[in-house]
Amino acid sequence: MATRSTYSAAGRVYSELLALAGERDHVAPAPQITTLAMSAGTTRETASRAVAALIRRGIISREDGKLIIHAPRMLRELII
């Protein structure tokens, strides 16, 4: 937990997405942004921007009520 608290706000959102996915390449059902923000200890706006940036870059996508992680290595590298 100590290491996780030193991440940036967006990094905490990315870390939470990876934790929710576990060993899978998706998160099903897709978490609500508010719930994701609370779990990451940040605001809804920050979590929304972080997820939107990942979608724009093609790292994740939303499909059929789940989040698909297309590039888990890139997502791990963004956690700072």
Side-chain angles (χ1 to χ4, degrees):
M1 183 67 177
T3 303
R4 185 173 177 196
S5 66
T6 61
Y7 295 157
S8 66
R12 291 192 308 269
V13 173
Y14 303 154
S15 177
E16 186 63 26
L17 283 174
L18 284 173
L20 289 171
E23 296 296 317
R24 300 170 301 190
D25 66 346
H26 65 278
V27 178
Q32 292 183 343
I33 296 297
T34 304
T35 306
L36 184 61
M38 287 175 41
S39 297
T42 190
T43 64
R44 183 193 57 78
E45 291 82 8
T46 299
S48 179
R49 282 189 217 111
V51 169
L54 293 175
I55 292 171
R56 245 188 338 272
R57 293 180 69 185
I59 296 171
I60 67 170
S61 65
R62 291 182 187 264
E63 295 177 18
D64 300 324
K66 61 183 174 182
L67 287 176
I68 308 293
I69 301 173
H70 300 287
R73 182 183 57 79
M74 288 180 70
L75 185 55
R76 276 187 220 94
E77 291 173 358
L78 290 173
I79 299 172
I80 53 172

